[in-house]
Every structure is written in structure tokens, then in C-alpha cells.
Amino acid sequence: MSDFSELICKPTKWFLWRAVAMAVMFGVGAFLFFKDWKVGYPKSNIEKYHFVAFEKANEAFRQHLEDEKSPAEWETFASAQKVFTPFKRHGVEVKEVAPTVPKGTDLATPWPGVLVGYEKYAALYEKEKNTPIPVAWKDYSNSDGRKWSEKSDGDVKSEGKIKEQLYIGILCLVLFLGAVFIFLRTMGRSMRVTAEGFSPAGGKLIPFDSIKKIDARKWNSKGLAYLFYESDGKEKKAKVDGMVYGQFKKEDGEPAQKLFEQILANFEGELIELAPEEDEDKEDSTSEGTENDSAK
């Protein structure tokens, strides 16, 4: 066994910044999706239902004029109409209104007065009937403190679409918690080489004399090496991850490289360096689960 000095490789800024970035991304995503589910989509649907009501009024008034009905008949008809009613439009079908609007919304809200009064609506109809938006919508959407779009598409978010935001929000929350867990777990780990052997991140000591083979094919390209050792009569596998722990910055003294060289200096088994890399992707995906059998 060669001379040694104890070496410790702690989590690198490279990994920590990426873990924080992932946590922030998923955390913000969860917040935005939950917001759309609880507030955003239901609130925007209030505007959409009103836009659809103006569209319906537009079409109904056109038919009213074609049928040569009286102003009183229009006002009787219009005053009986409700804003929040089931409908099917642009392939979106709303069978139940309540799940698509904020709780407490008055589902019996009648059509706005501008649609009910015959004389005013008739004058607006003659002026705006050939415009691409429903008659009277432009003025109504920007009155009484409303700041609705003058060109609202009227596409109500269905109950299914609203629930979809909830499900995606839950997924983002799970991923956020996963990123935080990995961050915290990694923060408390380190790789270590002592006189007795190598301790992988989060694992128990692996004596040098129990290491039978080292696969170093990915060390130069990815900073990864795999140790195969015997424990309790079984062959097990551990990982040396120089990208997550220590890294290779010259200004820091290349901690990971020095740690790996210390392992090699105290190792007498088979070293795989130049053999073709087979099943590389499979090996990477399974290594996380097997990198530290010694911890079991």
C-alpha cells in the first residue's frame, strides 16, 4: 500500500446550483399551476361567460329583427336570460357551470342591462353589427372598473382543463420536494479516502483490499468510475462521482482527481480503462440504486 493522506470531496457548486435551479423551477411551476387552478382560470371564466352572453345576444337580436318582433318581446326575452349557462362552443362543452367559476359566484346573474334595453341595444346593433366582436362588448368590457379584453375569444376553461392545472401543480410539487430532498441529502454527504479504504457518498468504508475491479472508462469524459468489491461473500458496486463531489478545477487543486488517484495507488485488482463501453446508458441509470450497497 502506498503512502496516503486523507482526502475529502464535498458536494460541488456545479451540482448545488443545478439542484437549486431545479427546485426553483419546479417550485415556481407548482405555484403558477395551483394559482391557475384555484384562481386564474375560474376568474378568467367570468369574463368568458359574459363574452359568450354578448355573442348569444348578438345572434338572438339578429333573429329577433328577422322575425319582426316587438321591442317589448325583446326586453321580455333578454331579461330572462342568464350569463352563466351551459353551452358548447369551439369544441369546448360546459355541462356544469359551478365548477368552472369561483366559489360564491351568483349563477343567476342576468344579462347586463345594455343587452336588455331595446332602444340602446338596437342603436348599438346598427352601428356595430359588422364588427368582429359582439355588439356593445367593447364599451362594456372597459366599464365599471372592468379591464377585460376587447377581443376576448370567449373560450371558457372547462372543468377538466381546470383540474388539469391541479394535477400538473401536484406533479411539480412532487418534483420540487424531490429536488429539495436530493439537495439536502447531497449536502450532508461526501466522498472520503483514508488509510483503510474509500467511503462513497453516504456509504460505509470499503477497504482497499476488498476492491477487485475498477471500471474507469468514464472517468476522463464524465468523472465517473465504478468500484467492484466483495462484502459478506457477495460482489457489490460503488460509484466515484467526481462531478458531484470534488470536481476537477485546477484552482481548487483538482480534489476529485486526487481522490481517485489515491484509490488507484492503493488498489491491486483489475483496472478497466480502454475496453469499449457497452450498455453505457443502462449502467448510468442503474448505478444510483447500486452505488452504495455497502450502506445496507
Side-chain angles (χ1 to χ4, degrees), residues 37 42 45 95-102 107 157-159 162-163:
W37 161 64
N45 277 347
K95 295 181 180 179
E96 293 185 50
V97 173
T100 65
V101 294
L107 300 182
K157 303 297 184 183
S158 66
E159 181 181 6
I162 294 174
K163 286 184 176 180

Side-chain angles (χ1 to χ4, degrees), residues 62-247:
R62 182 190 64 78
Q63 189 63 47
H64 178 86
L65 294 179
E66 289 181 2
D67 295 341
E68 299 181 348
K69 293 183 178 181
S70 67
E73 288 178 299
W74 170 255
E75 292 184 355
T76 298
F77 164 79
S79 61
Q81 303 306 303
K82 308 298 180 185
V83 171
F84 301 106
T85 57
F87 72 94
K88 185 174 183 179
R89 182 181 184 278
H90 293 175
V92 177
E93 184 175 10
V94 176
K95 295 181 180 179
E96 293 185 50
V97 173
T100 65
V101 294
K103 290 184 178 180
T105 300
D106 183 3
L107 300 182
T109 301
W111 274 7
V114 67
L115 302 179
V116 178
Y118 182 86
E119 290 186 8
K120 184 176 182 179
Y121 188 70
L124 290 171
Y125 185 83
E126 286 302 315
K127 181 181 178 182
E128 302 176 7
K129 63 181 178 181
N130 294 320
T131 60
I133 59 176
V135 173
W137 175 255
K138 182 177 180 180
D139 291 337
Y140 181 81
S141 64
N142 288 282
S143 63
D144 298 331
R146 285 180 289 270
K147 294 182 180 180
W148 293 348
S149 172
E150 293 182 1
K151 299 181 180 180
S152 175
D153 58 17
D155 287 336
V156 173
K157 303 297 184 183
S158 66
E159 181 181 6
K161 195 69 176 178
I162 294 174
K163 286 184 176 180
E164 184 179 279
Q165 307 309 300
L166 171 62
Y167 302 147
I168 298 176
I170 292 174
L171 175 60
C172 286
L173 179 60
V174 171
L175 293 173
F176 166 75
L177 294 175
V180 171
F181 171 76
I182 291 173
F183 173 82
L184 295 176
R185 184 188 67 173
T186 304
M187 281 290 292
R189 292 181 169 184
S190 63
M191 297 192 305
R192 184 187 304 264
V193 167
T194 65
E196 291 76 23
F198 166 68
S199 297
K204 296 180 180 179
L205 177 70
I206 302 173
F208 288 124
D209 58 9
S210 69
I211 301 174
K212 305 303 179 184
K213 180 173 65 175
I214 295 179
D215 185 345
R217 291 174 296 176
K218 299 177 186 178
W219 184 253
N220 291 330
S221 61
K222 298 182 179 181
L224 292 174
Y226 301 95
L227 311 183
F228 297 85
Y229 63 99
E230 287 187 0
S231 177
D232 299 326
K234 297 180 180 179
E235 182 180 79
K236 297 185 178 181
K237 180 180 178 182
K239 180 168 69 173
V240 182
D241 192 338
M243 291 300 291
V244 174
Y245 301 93
Q247 246 194 25

